[in-house]
Amino acid sequence: MKLTGAEILIHCLKEQGVDTVFGYPGGCVLDIYDAIYRDGTLRHILTAHEQGAAHAADGYARATGKTGVCIATSGPGATNLVTGIATAYMDSVPLVAITGNVTVAGLGRDSFQEVDIAGITMPITKHNYIVKDVNKLADTIREAFYIAGSGRKGPVLIDIPKNLQTETAEYEEKPKRVYTPKPVAKETLSEAAKAIREAKRPLIIAGGGAISSNAAENLRALAGQLQAPVCSTLMGLGAYPASDPQFLGLVGMHGTDASAKAFMRADTVIVCGMRFSDRVAGDRAKFRERKTIVQFDIDAAEIDKNVRADISVMADLNEILKTLLPLLRQADRSDWLKEANAYKEYEKNTAEYPAAQKIVAAAKKFTDADTPVATDVGQHQMWTAQYYPFEKPRTFISSGGLGTMGFGMGAAIGACAGSGKKTVLVTGDGSFHMNLNELCTAVTYRLPLVILLADNNTLGMVRQWQTLFYNKRYSQTTLDRKTDYVKLAEAFGAKGFLLDRPENAETVLAKAFKEDGPVLVDCKIDIDDKVLPMIAPGKSFDSIITKI
């Protein structure tokens, strides 16, 4: 049948299983929005800003495992997506961003609201397209979704000039192309299996790849078979249940003392879908000292990029683990596991906790293992990673690689819309001010969103650095905002509560979690509460190791 380009887009989105899109209309996508209106079956969530739409599509993808979709008009609409696209790119999130543009004839002429969005986003997308022939539109859309959701996942952009949206072409429905990872040959894993079998003190590090490859079940099986402790990167939280006795918590710059000690003692480190970022690997030369590094990753670019592995296997992580498990044998490493648990117990009994820990602990009482918890970026992000026990994949929604302040509101909206569950956003007063406009989106769609705002009147993580490394010269980090967050929430149409003492957290949160729609809790905390431990990027784990 013959359809306009805009109609072809809508049909192709539905072909790909898309049920929800996030966006903001404008002149160069009017025909697309008219097609959405006439179709009437796609759920469209209108955000307050295009950046919010990109973050919402990202949060939707992280929470559901499906490809998120956002739409923006040309020029400033398209450029407002850039931070969200870059956030998705750094964390390997499948996303398709659709932008309108001026007509093909107007490209390159500095037309009104024209920008080369394909050129701008080239470094932060897996691939991008400027479609100039309506007859190629359908196949381009199909290819974009396949690229976004295959291999190491990531964002793809499709730029559709305005004239293509009204031109017509033959459309024939086609089944969605499904990505199936290639099986891993046993011989490919023989060297890795031998090293792991011979390990006396193996340690498993779960990265974001453990979640994107749906490898949680086999990861747990591997840990059980090896009697190995497990730690996680920020992006890997939820890949291994926090309640399991073998789990030591977060690793790296703000990781647990237990995970750092276990890492220093391990003779073999099995790295599962982790990119050895500076926040995890620290001094990369020292990272691999006195131990065998076995690296499993789907992306050839990550093999030996930051830390040279002794043994590496490039393939889908879940396929690797499925093939690896039969090649291993049960061995008695109970003494090693006992040692690692002693580190964990010691830390539990000696650690000093900030007030935020009480708030996070109280919030856990009103959530379950399937509750999505989104964060912005800063101290509150690390406190959530450290103290909230994530039990399942796709429940921790946070910007790791790019570290995007302002990510949280949009991401929480997307996660809530995608999961259909009450969702928690942990944010800070600095991050919240960046995208608080999206509170109106949550209210409009009556999303069951509980916002816990860590209110310390400062850019807390930056102030912490200024305290430790800049002789307490607090240049431009004391916010001194006069915002009344409870009244602000009410002005947007949400409910607002004040939590002025952390010891009252359970009482106040009980009221907040009873609400059906969006609710904001202004959580007052001390300006000098710190995230500990803390080691500067480039330093080694030795700097936080203490003797038991």
Side-chain angles (χ1 to χ4, degrees), residues 23 63 156 342 345 389 500 505:
V156 177
E345 195 64 25
D500 55 357

Side-chain angles (χ1 to χ4, degrees), residues 51-52 54-56 58-59 62 84 87-88 91 374-377 397-400 403-413 425 431 434-435:
Q51 184 177 338
H55 292 326
D58 181 318
R62 294 187 202 230
T87 301
D91 289 344
T375 79
D376 265 296
V377 172
I397 316 294
S398 195
S399 169
T404 307
M405 291 178 68
F407 170 80
M409 270 301 298
I413 287 167
L425 167 62
S431 287
M434 289 192 171
N435 269 336

Side-chain angles (χ1 to χ4, degrees), residues 272-402:
C272 298
M274 181 191 91
R275 60 187 180 87
F276 296 101
S277 78
D278 57 317
R279 293 296 174 105
V280 171
D283 184 331
R284 287 156 173 164
K286 282 194 171 186
F287 186 88
R288 63 184 311 281
E289 279 183 356
R290 301 182 302 277
K291 52 182 58 65
T292 299
I293 303 290
V294 180
Q295 182 181 8
F296 298 144
D297 204 283
I298 198 169
D299 188 356
E302 292 300 336
I303 303 296
D304 296 334
K305 183 176 84 174
N306 291 323
V307 171
R308 182 175 61 80
D310 297 282
I311 302 163
S312 58
V313 179
M314 191 199 76
D316 176 82
L317 179 62
N318 197 38
E319 292 297 320
I320 290 173
L321 297 183
K322 277 196 299 186
T323 310
L324 176 67
L325 284 166
L327 304 180
L328 304 177
R329 57 174 177 264
Q330 194 77 38
D332 183 8
R333 297 186 179 91
S334 54
D335 287 346
W336 166 232
L337 203 51
K338 186 177 179 181
E339 179 185 337
N341 280 324
Y343 299 150
K344 187 175 171 181
E345 195 64 25
Y346 178 83
E347 181 174 15
K348 179 182 175 183
N349 294 331
T350 59
E352 295 181 11
Y353 297 108
Q357 191 266 347
K358 294 179 182 178
I359 298 169
V360 171
K364 180 58 185 172
K365 294 183 179 181
F366 301 100
T367 61
D368 57 40
D370 293 310
T371 301
V373 178
T375 79
D376 265 296
V377 172
Q379 287 180 313
H380 61 275
Q381 178 189 36
M382 293 301 120
W383 285 325
T384 305
Q386 290 174 335
Y387 303 126
Y388 189 95
F390 291 95
E391 296 292 314
K392 290 187 177 182
R394 303 197 180 284
T395 54
F396 179 61
I397 316 294
S398 195
S399 169
L402 197 64

Side-chain angles (χ1 to χ4, degrees), residues 429-430 433 456-459 476-482 485:
D429 43 358
H433 271 104
N456 56 3
N457 196 38
T458 188
L459 301 179
Q476 304 304 315
T477 49
T478 302
L479 296 175
D480 201 26
R481 309 289 192 210
K482 306 305 180 187
Y485 297 104

Side-chain angles (χ1 to χ4, degrees), residues 50 136 193 201 240 289 391 440 542:
E50 291 91 352
K136 296 179 180 178
R201 296 184 303 279
Y240 197 89
E289 279 183 356
E391 296 292 314
C440 71
D542 303 65

